[in-house]
Amino acid sequence: MPPVVEVRDLRKLYRIGHAFSRDYVHAVDGVSFAIASGETLALVGESGSGKSTVARTVLRLEAPTAGETILDGTSVTRASEHALRRMRARMQMVFQDPYDALNPRMRIGEQVAEPLWLSGKSSRRDALHQAREFLRGLHLPADADRRYPHQLSGGQLQRVGIARALVTEPSLVILDEPTSALDVSVQAQIINLLVDLQAQRSLAYLFISHDLHVVGYLADRVAVMYLGQIIELGPTAAIFERPGHPYTRALISAAPVDHPRERRQRIMLSGEPTSPINPKPGCRLATRCPFALPRCVERDIDLTEVLPGHTVRCRRFAEEHQDGVWNPAPTGWKPGFDPAA
Amino acid sequence: MSSSAAGKGIAGMDAASTRDSSVLLDVRRLRTEFATRAEPVRVLDGLDFTLTNHHITGLVGESGSGKSVTAFSLLRLLRPPGNVVSGEVWFRGRDLMSLSEKQMTAIRGREIGMIFQQPRASLNPVFRVGDVLNHVLRLHRGMKGDAVRREAFRVFQEVGLPDPARILRSYPHELSGGMCQRVMIAQVLAGQPKLLIADEPTTALDVTIQMQIVHLLRSIRDRLGLTQLLITHDLGLVGEMCDDVLVMYAGEIVERAPVVDLFDQPSHPYTRGLLASRANRKDRDRLYSIPGTVPSLVAPPTGCRFHPRCPYARQICSDVAPAPEHVSANHWVRCHFWKDVVRDPTSAGRDTVAARG
Amino acid sequence: MATPEALNLPTTVAREPIINWRTDLGYWLGRNPVTAVGMAVVVLLVLMAMFAPLLAPYDPFATDPRVSLQPPSWSHPFGTGPFGEDILSRVMYGARYDLAIAFGAVGIALVLGCLIGAVAGFWGGVFDDVLMRVVELLQAFPQFVLAMAIAGALGPSFLNLIIAIAVTNIPIYAHLMRVRILSIKGAQFAVAAASSGNSRPRILYRHLLPNSLAPIFVQSTLQPGWAILSAAGLSFIGLGIRLPAPEWGLMVAAGSSRIISGQWWISLFPGLFIVLAVMAFNLIGDGLQDLLDPQRKST
């Protein structure tokens, strides 16, 4: 079965400084992935890793610098403005902060109806009716469609956000940290709702998050981003149990424990991410990586398949692993100084 | 603690508080209100708790539970329309609520330090971070000249800042979020306080940086024995770094327990619900979710404030506010039916560790 | 800092406070009696203008040489002018001219200024550069001098007076609107609107504009006072309306030469009404800003 969405070598560069500046922020630097119907791909990474830029460029809310998104066999990237607006019904997004993602001066019903009639799927009047019906199915107050956003709670508003994204029966839904702005006791309600809706409608989810517990719970596959690149992509169990890339190892290791008895020593990365401005050719983690060697700085490699469906972008891992197992000792090497000299 | 041992309420219930030396902070019947157009809103309704010396105590609650207001009330940093109406806060033999503003200023920073969620926003952008640190050392420690420089250097090393000499000369905007939080912690440590109040200190930081700060705060407790009050909404963080936990719901503390006890045997339905609703990779069953939403403090529910969302609620819960009851020596809970809660084997009471063997 | 969290209110930066005009306005007027006074004065002035034919004791254009230059008395409370015209009646009718100028000029400036600012802020680039340079050109002159130049070039008439004052008011609204649009066009709800399939113009008028107008309306309550002052000034120096129209500024001008000879009432009463109207509008504007930005008052 062909994937619902295929993203090929997506790039987004932002010029910084004056109009003729040669300095670019490489926000997204060659990202490729595909998601099948009914599948959840999680995109994890820290702030500045480019995961939100991926979301915006995949949906062409921002034009990518290069690369292409293909949705149900048609190119989103090459579509005309007019065609793109029609396509929007098939690719939707749920935003992080439900208070912020809804127009404060527009009735809920109208906002949920908008994608329906703007895409030409139904008349404006039918759209309002459908929106009301959809909202009713999400355990919202009966008159929710006539209310304004400030008259609902955060959890209710996120249901509205989900309704707006799903009312057009899209193929792809991008979930941009949909629970991180919500109260803890409400998060589970929203996660359950997302799981139910996916099962009913075979939705493809691109789930963007930094909460590894939720990622572990929801995702079928996980892509880990670091400074604009995917550095590891594989099945959820593999990523959590046998992470290959040193950054993935650190990230998984940094997830808070489930129980205080499980407190443990962790793989700690030193320092913080390097600048995404005009990155050098070598591995982008090399300056922080405890396992780095001089050759890591010289040249980077592409994502390399280490096991079926599990790809890693780490030279040492690709060269030294045996059946996906690699237990290196910290090298103590830091770029800029050579212990032998 | 030199206050009368006859203190009523919760303070007397904690085994720790009977031995004065082990209690650093003793909060009694703290009541904070916010003036509004109509009736004042009672945000904290007679808060009672103690902080054990050398422990990290977590104050967990959702937004609107009043956890940040608690911190601001303790330090008397609340500004109108907020106002502490009554209550006592005993700290090293003095009631902070009865001190003059001048005495209180001397305690803030010198004896009780505070760090916040947005580290960069809490640093003054026009000063070099070293200048502020030097000021703290001169003001609170009475240091002069070369001693100031050496001590500043030492404190920066202690919080794990690389290249202290360079960072001392930097402005906040030149530092990353994680480094700013380390600088904040350094400034607090420079005053050699007895208590550190940390209000969501890692929420704004990335996962890997978060864990660095957690380890730092943990190691500060281990090395210096600094008592800490960690205010957070994140149970993972609590499990990661706290010794004791206070669970707050709608302006009240509903459960207090040593951290392992809380995770092993949550006795308040709310605590149990929170623990059970956490997503987990190894258990992909449907998540338990607490029904309803956090109540508004403008019109809190009668009786037990959790009763409209509680699966165990009966008539008495909406009529009578439960008094705290002991589960074990250091573990108390405000619930009429906590024994049922503990015995209940259903998912809401799922023991996360036991379930996975 | 702790307030919104404690009361379980959402906090956002880009959003303006939601004001329920029905309930909030009454409460807030009760707490700001000065603004309530300003509002009452404006309402009275508007009523006076509307019902001038019923209220005025005389025809404002009627002359009566028998009673020329009489000081205030029971039959002519504000006295009479050199042709025996009743000053009180003229002041009442004058409210029609001055309020029409004030609301007309502000209305035109509001619409044009918001349009320019919205387009410049939303589309940016060349639009922004060209439009804002034009606006800055207008600002390069002192406001009153510019109004004089425009009124002089167009010729003295009621309509031209409104146009002259409107043009000089455009930059204020253009700048306010542009900044407001710039600050909210990146908000999540604007991105969400795009992902719902809204076209660019529709995002602007359906989603961004309704969320930008409140601060601009508040600003616009400060402007009529200034417009009345300008209108009076332009008429005073002969660039506005011509006699015998009962415009307040014109009446002040007409009577000014007679102050020395002791007939102070001809200028004083229309002058007082100018002051009254300007002050009333400013009180409202000031108070409304506090309503929109409660921080401004408390700090």
Side-chain angles (χ1 to χ4, degrees):
Chain A
M1 200 172 63
V4 168
V5 63
E6 197 180 341
V7 173
R8 292 181 191 153
D9 202 27
L10 201 68
R11 279 167 210 278
K12 180 69 189 179
L13 274 57
Y14 296 98
R15 194 198 298 270
I16 51 167
H18 57 87
F20 304 104
S21 157
R22 289 284 202 78
D23 294 332
Y24 289 93
V25 172
H26 291 232
V28 177
D29 211 357
V31 162
S32 307
F33 57 82
I35 313 175
S37 154
E39 188 194 27
T40 302
L41 174 70
L43 200 55
V44 300
E46 301 185 79
S47 59
S49 64
K51 54 192 197 304
S52 293
T53 312
V54 168
R56 289 197 304 272
T57 42
V58 163
L59 295 183
R60 217 177 118 192
L61 293 167
E62 246 176 280
T65 312
E68 192 168 20
T69 307
I70 301 194
L71 180 77
D72 296 327
T74 4
S75 170
V76 176
T77 322
R78 286 165 217 267
S80 70
E81 278 286 331
H82 181 76
L84 177 67
R85 282 213 295 279
R86 303 244 145 185
M87 283 178 89
R88 293 230 173 268
R90 302 215 309 272
M91 46 180 199
Q92 286 287 323
M93 183 153 164
V94 176
F95 293 84
Q96 175 174 5
D97 184 344
Y99 288 113
D100 225 34
L102 289 162
N103 182 343
R105 288 176 198 275
M106 197 168 176
R107 289 181 200 276
I108 300 285
E110 276 182 69
Q111 301 199 51
V112 175
E114 248 191 352
L116 265 175
W117 65 266
L118 283 172
S119 66
K121 277 200 147 190
S122 44
S123 72
R124 197 163 174 171
R125 228 167 109 204
D126 289 348
L128 279 169
H129 181 73
Q130 277 173 267
R132 191 177 319 133
E133 288 303 308
F134 201 103
L135 288 166
R136 205 160 280 167
L138 297 185
H139 306 293
L140 284 162
D143 63 340
D145 63 310
R146 275 177 283 121
R147 295 200 197 177
Y148 287 95
H150 70 272
Q151 294 167 314
L152 295 178
S153 73
Q156 289 173 327
L157 286 181
Q158 196 56 298
R159 284 167 196 271
V160 172
I162 290 169
R164 175 174 61 186
L166 295 189
V167 72
T168 55
E169 312 207 341
S171 325
L172 168 71
V173 180
I174 297 187
L175 308 165
D176 188 2
E177 311 234 9
T179 59
S180 66
L182 300 177
D183 278 325
V184 191
S185 71
V186 179
Q187 285 181 6
Q189 297 173 4
I190 295 297
I191 293 171
N192 283 338
L193 178 64
L194 290 170
V195 170
D196 292 348
L197 289 166
Q198 182 179 40
Q200 286 162 20
R201 294 152 184 258
S202 306
L203 297 164
Y205 279 162
L206 177 62
F207 179 69
I208 296 173
S209 181
H210 64 262
D211 184 334
L212 291 166
H213 289 292
V214 180
V215 166
Y217 178 80
L218 271 181
D220 300 304
R221 290 186 300 143
V222 179
V224 184
M225 278 191 83
Y226 186 75
L227 286 179
Q229 297 175 323
I230 291 180
I231 50 97
E232 183 159 5
L233 199 164
T236 306
I239 295 287
F240 278 85
E241 280 154 33
R242 281 173 284 108
H245 198 286
Y247 178 72
T248 315
R249 292 170 185 231
L251 201 64
I252 300 292
S253 155
V257 292
D258 274 339
H259 192 285
R261 277 208 204 92
E262 298 170 12
R263 284 180 194 169
R264 58 180 185 261
Q265 278 301 313
R266 298 188 144 84
I267 301 169
M268 301 278 262
L269 294 173
S270 56
E272 315 213 2
T274 46
S275 159
I277 302 166
N278 303 337
K280 294 186 182 69
C283 170
R284 293 181 186 183
L285 188 71
T287 51
R288 301 174 72 194
C289 180
F291 314 122
L293 289 174
R295 62 197 161 106
C296 296
V297 190
E298 288 157 18
R299 196 167 50 82
D300 197 9
I301 59 160
D302 284 333
L303 276 174
T304 310
E305 188 155 67
V306 289
L307 288 172
H310 188 171
T311 51
V312 178
R313 189 195 285 265
C314 172
R315 269 185 88 173
R316 287 198 66 195
F317 184 84
E319 289 162 10
E320 298 171 26
H321 83 95
Q322 269 160 352
D323 297 328
V325 181
W326 178 53
N327 291 313
T331 55
W333 179 83
K334 281 271 162 275
F337 97 110
D338 186 353
Chain B
M1 283 291 311
S2 63
S3 69
S4 70
K8 284 189 210 107
I10 304 284
M13 289 190 55
D14 288 340
S17 72
T18 54
R19 291 192 311 278
D20 285 348
S21 62
S22 71
V23 170
L24 181 70
L25 190 85
D26 185 349
V27 176
R28 296 180 188 180
R29 296 177 299 282
L30 189 68
R31 194 155 277 175
T32 296
E33 292 182 347
F34 275 69
T36 65
R37 277 180 204 192
E39 290 284 286
V41 174
R42 186 165 290 174
V43 176
L44 303 180
D45 198 6
L47 224 53
D48 280 304
F49 66 88
T50 59
L51 297 187
T52 309
N53 238 330
H54 313 310
H55 276 212
I56 299 180
T57 303
L59 182 61
V60 208
E62 301 180 82
S63 63
S65 63
K67 55 193 195 299
S68 290
V69 176
T70 306
F72 280 88
S73 300
L74 296 181
L75 285 175
R76 286 175 45 191
L77 283 172
L78 216 54
R79 280 196 287 168
N83 178 30
V84 177
V85 185
S86 62
E88 297 159 23
V89 177
W90 289 93
F91 175 74
R92 307 183 79 211
R94 282 178 293 178
D95 175 15
L96 300 184
M97 296 300 124
S98 64
L99 297 184
S100 70
E101 188 49 42
K102 202 174 160 196
Q103 290 169 308
M104 198 60 214
T105 308
I107 282 187
R108 286 184 214 121
R110 181 74 186 89
E111 295 191 56
I112 304 179
M114 189 157 179
I115 58 174
F116 302 92
Q117 182 172 350
Q118 299 290 345
R120 188 171 292 119
S122 18
L123 290 168
N124 189 330
V126 303
F127 291 119
R128 293 173 199 272
V129 297
D131 295 344
V132 181
L133 190 64
N134 293 346
H135 176 76
V136 172
L137 290 169
R138 288 199 191 96
L139 183 77
H140 291 319
R141 305 264 297 273
M143 294 180 126
K144 284 194 188 72
D146 216 34
V148 174
R149 212 165 324 123
R150 275 200 309 271
E151 179 66 8
F153 197 88
R154 193 191 65 75
V155 177
F156 265 32
Q157 274 182 323
E158 188 158 274
V159 297
L161 280 164
D163 197 358
R166 184 180 61 81
I167 293 176
L168 281 166
R169 286 194 309 271
S170 308
Y171 289 95
H173 69 90
E174 298 169 317
L175 305 175
S176 69
M179 291 213 269
C180 283
Q181 195 58 286
R182 284 176 196 268
V183 168
M184 273 305 296
I185 295 170
Q187 285 181 9
V188 169
L189 291 186
Q192 294 186 321
K194 298 290 176 288
L195 173 65
L196 168 64
I197 298 180
D199 188 358
E200 303 269 10
T202 65
T203 308
L205 304 173
D206 278 320
V207 194
T208 55
I209 312 296
Q210 239 178 43
M211 213 35 79
Q212 293 175 0
I213 298 293
V214 165
H215 276 235
L216 174 63
L217 291 173
R218 225 21 240 183
S219 81
I220 286 170
R221 169 205 175 275
D222 294 342
R223 280 182 292 135
L224 310 175
L226 178 62
T227 311
Q228 297 172 34
L229 177 64
L230 171 77
I231 294 167
T232 183
H233 67 277
D234 184 351
L235 277 168
L237 199 62
V238 168
E240 198 63 62
M241 67 181 281
C242 293
D243 302 297
D244 300 317
V245 191
L246 303 160
V247 181
M248 200 160 182
Y249 184 79
E252 288 177 342
I253 290 173
V254 294
E255 183 163 7
R256 181 221 191 269
V259 68
V260 174
D261 294 6
L262 190 93
F263 279 72
D264 276 350
Q265 199 185 55
S267 305
H268 195 282
Y270 175 64
T271 318
R272 223 166 162 80
L274 280 185
L275 284 166
S277 65
R278 295 183 305 159
N280 187 294
R281 184 171 62 85
K282 290 166 199 145
D283 184 358
R284 284 209 177 193
D285 290 345
R286 203 175 163 72
L287 290 180
Y288 174 78
S289 71
I290 301 175
T293 49
V294 181
S296 157
L297 290 168
V298 178
T302 56
C304 169
R305 292 182 171 191
F306 187 62
H307 85 260
R309 306 175 74 186
C310 180
Y312 304 93
R314 292 183 222 165
Q315 184 58 45
I316 185 178
C317 299
S318 55
D319 298 339
V320 183
E325 290 179 41
H326 270 293
V327 177
S328 59
N330 283 316
H331 184 174
W332 56 257
V333 60
R334 274 178 200 271
C335 175
H336 293 300
F337 300 109
W338 67 268
K339 284 178 182 142
D340 296 355
V341 178
V342 172
R343 260 186 255 119
D344 187 351
T346 59
S347 75
R350 161 182 83 174
D351 183 329
T352 49
V353 168
R356 263 178 282 122
Chain C
M1 197 181 320
T3 321
E5 199 251 13
L7 298 179
N8 206 1
L9 302 172
T11 46
T12 31
V13 187
R15 183 103 29 89
E16 52 195 53
I18 301 281
I19 297 166
N20 183 338
W21 292 104
R22 257 181 315 174
T23 56
D24 289 12
L25 200 65
Y27 166 79
W28 163 86
L29 280 179
R31 293 191 45 168
N32 296 271
V34 182
T35 319
V37 168
M39 215 166 258
V41 170
V42 169
V43 169
L44 287 177
L45 286 175
V46 170
L47 290 175
M48 186 172 93
M50 282 167 70
F51 299 108
L54 300 177
L55 295 170
Y58 301 91
D59 179 348
F61 299 102
T63 55
D64 185 353
R66 287 170 300 169
V67 291
S68 76
L69 292 176
Q70 290 205 346
S73 65
W74 283 113
S75 53
H76 297 281
F78 287 4
T80 61
F83 308 102
E85 69 272 30
D86 177 49
I87 302 288
L88 174 63
S89 302
R90 287 179 63 77
V91 164
M92 284 178 164
Y93 272 88
R96 297 185 143 194
Y97 283 81
D98 284 86
L99 291 180
I101 292 165
F103 291 129
V106 170
I108 293 171
L110 184 76
V111 171
L112 289 179
C114 285
L115 210 65
I116 293 171
V119 167
F122 189 60
W123 271 280
V126 182
F127 279 108
D128 193 17
D129 286 340
V130 172
L131 288 173
M132 293 325 281
R133 286 311 86 74
V134 172
V135 165
E136 277 160 22
L137 205 68
L138 293 180
Q139 282 185 296
F141 302 96
Q143 253 185 341
F144 191 72
V145 174
L146 182 67
M148 270 168 65
I150 297 171
L154 296 175
S157 84
F158 179 66
L159 192 65
N160 291 346
L161 187 64
I162 292 181
I163 293 173
I165 296 169
V167 169
T168 60
N169 267 309
I170 286 174
I172 299 168
Y173 297 109
H175 279 293
L176 270 176
M177 193 54 154
R178 176 173 170 273
V179 168
R180 181 70 197 155
I181 292 284
L182 279 178
S183 75
I184 63 169
K185 77 171 177 183
Q188 276 194 16
F189 74 82
V191 181
S195 82
S196 288
N198 282 281
S199 63
R200 301 267 293 160
R202 193 180 144 85
I203 292 175
L204 178 60
Y205 80 78
R206 193 68 186 82
H207 291 275
L208 296 182
L209 276 186
N211 286 290
S212 313
L213 291 175
I216 288 164
F217 280 139
V218 168
Q219 180 67 30
S220 69
T221 55
L222 277 170
Q223 296 306 310
W226 187 87
I228 288 174
L229 217 52
S230 309
L234 288 173
S235 297
F236 186 89
I237 57 174
L239 291 170
I241 308 172
R242 290 286 171 89
L243 280 171
E247 196 276 332
W248 291 340
L250 197 59
M251 290 163 70
V252 174
S256 61
S257 58
R258 296 187 184 269
I259 294 174
I260 307 169
S261 52
Q263 286 97 14
W264 48 268
W265 57 90
I266 306 178
S267 289
L268 178 76
F269 290 107
L272 275 181
F273 270 78
I274 294 175
V275 172
L276 193 69
V278 172
M279 264 179 53
F281 279 114
N282 284 353
L283 288 179
I284 297 174
D286 236 32
L288 278 180
Q289 290 203 331
D290 294 340
L291 174 66
L292 215 61
D293 181 11
Q295 305 266 304
R296 207 181 79 121
K297 190 155 199 185
S298 61
T299 49

Short mmCIF file of all heavy atoms in Angstrom, two decimals, chain C residues 105-132:
data_model
loop_
_atom_site.label_atom_id
_atom_site.label_comp_id
_atom_site.label_asym_id
_atom_site.label_seq_id
_atom_site.Cartn_x
_atom_site.Cartn_y
_atom_site.Cartn_z
N ALA C 105 -14.12 63.35 10.40
CA ALA C 105 -12.68 63.29 10.16
C ALA C 105 -12.08 62.05 10.80
O ALA C 105 -11.28 61.34 10.17
CB ALA C 105 -12.01 64.55 10.71
N VAL C 106 -12.47 61.76 12.02
CA VAL C 106 -11.92 60.59 12.69
C VAL C 106 -12.36 59.32 11.98
O VAL C 106 -11.57 58.39 11.79
CB VAL C 106 -12.34 60.57 14.18
CG1 VAL C 106 -11.98 59.24 14.82
CG2 VAL C 106 -11.68 61.71 14.92
N GLY C 107 -13.60 59.30 11.54
CA GLY C 107 -14.10 58.11 10.84
C GLY C 107 -13.31 57.84 9.57
O GLY C 107 -12.85 56.72 9.33
N ILE C 108 -13.13 58.89 8.78
CA ILE C 108 -12.39 58.71 7.51
C ILE C 108 -10.95 58.29 7.81
O ILE C 108 -10.41 57.35 7.21
CB ILE C 108 -12.41 60.02 6.69
CG1 ILE C 108 -13.84 60.30 6.22
CG2 ILE C 108 -11.47 59.92 5.50
CD1 ILE C 108 -14.01 61.67 5.59
N ALA C 109 -10.33 58.97 8.76
CA ALA C 109 -8.94 58.64 9.09
C ALA C 109 -8.83 57.22 9.60
O ALA C 109 -7.89 56.48 9.27
CB ALA C 109 -8.41 59.62 10.14
N LEU C 110 -9.80 56.81 10.40
CA LEU C 110 -9.79 55.45 10.97
C LEU C 110 -9.83 54.41 9.85
O LEU C 110 -9.00 53.50 9.80
CB LEU C 110 -11.01 55.30 11.89
CG LEU C 110 -11.15 53.99 12.65
CD1 LEU C 110 -10.17 54.00 13.81
CD2 LEU C 110 -12.56 53.82 13.18
N VAL C 111 -10.76 54.59 8.93
CA VAL C 111 -10.92 53.59 7.88
C VAL C 111 -9.66 53.55 6.99
O VAL C 111 -9.08 52.49 6.75
CB VAL C 111 -12.18 53.90 7.04
CG1 VAL C 111 -12.22 53.00 5.81
CG2 VAL C 111 -13.41 53.69 7.90
N LEU C 112 -9.25 54.73 6.52
CA LEU C 112 -8.09 54.76 5.62
C LEU C 112 -6.82 54.32 6.33
O LEU C 112 -6.04 53.53 5.81
CB LEU C 112 -7.91 56.17 5.03
CG LEU C 112 -8.98 56.58 4.01
CD1 LEU C 112 -8.71 58.00 3.52
CD2 LEU C 112 -8.98 55.61 2.84
N GLY C 113 -6.62 54.84 7.54
CA GLY C 113 -5.41 54.51 8.28
C GLY C 113 -5.33 53.02 8.57
O GLY C 113 -4.27 52.40 8.38
N CYS C 114 -6.43 52.42 9.00
CA CYS C 114 -6.43 50.99 9.30
C CYS C 114 -6.15 50.17 8.05
O CYS C 114 -5.41 49.19 8.07
CB CYS C 114 -7.76 50.56 9.91
SG CYS C 114 -7.93 51.10 11.61
N LEU C 115 -6.74 50.60 6.96
CA LEU C 115 -6.53 49.88 5.70
C LEU C 115 -5.05 49.90 5.32
O LEU C 115 -4.46 48.87 5.01
CB LEU C 115 -7.37 50.58 4.62
CG LEU C 115 -7.87 49.69 3.50
CD1 LEU C 115 -8.84 48.67 4.05
CD2 LEU C 115 -8.53 50.53 2.43
N ILE C 116 -4.48 51.09 5.36
CA ILE C 116 -3.06 51.22 5.00
C ILE C 116 -2.19 50.40 5.94
O ILE C 116 -1.34 49.61 5.51
CB ILE C 116 -2.64 52.71 5.04
CG1 ILE C 116 -3.34 53.48 3.93
CG2 ILE C 116 -1.12 52.84 4.91
CD1 ILE C 116 -3.17 54.98 4.03
N GLY C 117 -2.44 50.55 7.23
CA GLY C 117 -1.62 49.83 8.22
C GLY C 117 -1.77 48.33 8.09
O GLY C 117 -0.80 47.58 8.17
N ALA C 118 -3.00 47.87 7.85
CA ALA C 118 -3.24 46.43 7.77
C ALA C 118 -2.54 45.84 6.56
O ALA C 118 -1.86 44.81 6.65
CB ALA C 118 -4.74 46.16 7.71
N VAL C 119 -2.68 46.51 5.43
CA VAL C 119 -2.05 45.99 4.21
C VAL C 119 -0.53 46.01 4.35
O VAL C 119 0.16 45.03 4.04
CB VAL C 119 -2.50 46.84 2.99
CG1 VAL C 119 -1.63 46.53 1.78
CG2 VAL C 119 -3.96 46.56 2.69
N ALA C 120 -0.01 47.10 4.89
CA ALA C 120 1.45 47.21 5.04
C ALA C 120 1.97 46.14 5.99
O ALA C 120 2.96 45.47 5.71
CB ALA C 120 1.81 48.60 5.55
N GLY C 121 1.27 45.96 7.10
CA GLY C 121 1.75 45.00 8.08
C GLY C 121 1.58 43.56 7.62
O GLY C 121 2.43 42.72 7.86
N PHE C 122 0.49 43.28 6.92
CA PHE C 122 0.19 41.90 6.56
C PHE C 122 1.03 41.43 5.38
O PHE C 122 1.62 40.36 5.42
CB PHE C 122 -1.29 41.76 6.24
CG PHE C 122 -1.74 40.34 6.06
CD1 PHE C 122 -1.62 39.43 7.10
CD2 PHE C 122 -2.28 39.91 4.86
CE1 PHE C 122 -2.03 38.11 6.95
CE2 PHE C 122 -2.69 38.59 4.70
CZ PHE C 122 -2.56 37.70 5.74
N TRP C 123 1.09 42.24 4.32
CA TRP C 123 1.83 41.78 3.15
C TRP C 123 3.31 42.12 3.23
O TRP C 123 4.13 41.44 2.64
CB TRP C 123 1.20 42.33 1.87
CG TRP C 123 0.15 41.40 1.36
CD1 TRP C 123 0.37 40.26 0.65
CD2 TRP C 123 -1.26 41.49 1.53
NE1 TRP C 123 -0.83 39.64 0.38
CE2 TRP C 123 -1.84 40.36 0.90
CE3 TRP C 123 -2.09 42.41 2.17
CZ2 TRP C 123 -3.21 40.14 0.89
CZ3 TRP C 123 -3.45 42.18 2.14
CH2 TRP C 123 -4.01 41.06 1.51
N GLY C 124 3.64 43.17 3.96
CA GLY C 124 5.05 43.51 4.15
C GLY C 124 5.74 43.84 2.83
O GLY C 124 5.11 44.19 1.84
N GLY C 125 7.06 43.72 2.84
CA GLY C 125 7.84 43.89 1.63
C GLY C 125 7.62 45.25 0.98
O GLY C 125 7.63 46.28 1.66
N VAL C 126 7.39 45.25 -0.34
CA VAL C 126 7.25 46.49 -1.09
C VAL C 126 6.04 47.28 -0.61
O VAL C 126 6.11 48.50 -0.44
CB VAL C 126 7.11 46.18 -2.60
CG1 VAL C 126 7.02 47.47 -3.39
CG2 VAL C 126 8.29 45.35 -3.06
N PHE C 127 4.91 46.60 -0.37
CA PHE C 127 3.72 47.27 0.15
C PHE C 127 4.06 48.10 1.38
O PHE C 127 3.73 49.26 1.49
CB PHE C 127 2.67 46.23 0.57
CG PHE C 127 1.86 45.69 -0.56
CD1 PHE C 127 2.05 44.40 -1.01
CD2 PHE C 127 0.90 46.49 -1.17
CE1 PHE C 127 1.30 43.90 -2.05
CE2 PHE C 127 0.15 45.99 -2.21
CZ PHE C 127 0.35 44.68 -2.66
N ASP C 128 4.72 47.40 2.29
CA ASP C 128 5.06 48.02 3.56
C ASP C 128 5.95 49.24 3.32
O ASP C 128 5.68 50.33 3.83
CB ASP C 128 5.80 46.98 4.42
CG ASP C 128 5.92 47.43 5.86
OD1 ASP C 128 5.18 48.35 6.24
OD2 ASP C 128 6.74 46.85 6.58
N ASP C 129 6.98 49.06 2.49
CA ASP C 129 7.94 50.15 2.25
C ASP C 129 7.24 51.36 1.65
O ASP C 129 7.35 52.47 2.16
CB ASP C 129 9.05 49.66 1.30
CG ASP C 129 10.00 48.73 2.04
OD1 ASP C 129 10.01 48.78 3.29
OD2 ASP C 129 10.70 47.95 1.38
N VAL C 130 6.49 51.16 0.59
CA VAL C 130 5.87 52.28 -0.12
C VAL C 130 4.83 52.97 0.77
O VAL C 130 4.88 54.18 0.99
CB VAL C 130 5.22 51.80 -1.44
CG1 VAL C 130 4.41 52.92 -2.06
CG2 VAL C 130 6.30 51.30 -2.39
N LEU C 131 3.90 52.18 1.32
CA LEU C 131 2.82 52.78 2.10
C LEU C 131 3.35 53.53 3.32
O LEU C 131 2.93 54.66 3.60
CB LEU C 131 1.83 51.70 2.54
CG LEU C 131 0.95 51.13 1.43
CD1 LEU C 131 0.14 49.96 1.94
CD2 LEU C 131 0.02 52.22 0.90
N MET C 132 4.28 52.91 4.00
CA MET C 132 4.73 53.55 5.23
C MET C 132 5.60 54.78 4.94
O MET C 132 5.62 55.71 5.73
CB MET C 132 5.47 52.55 6.14
CG MET C 132 4.59 51.45 6.70
SD MET C 132 2.89 51.91 7.12
CE MET C 132 3.11 52.73 8.69
#
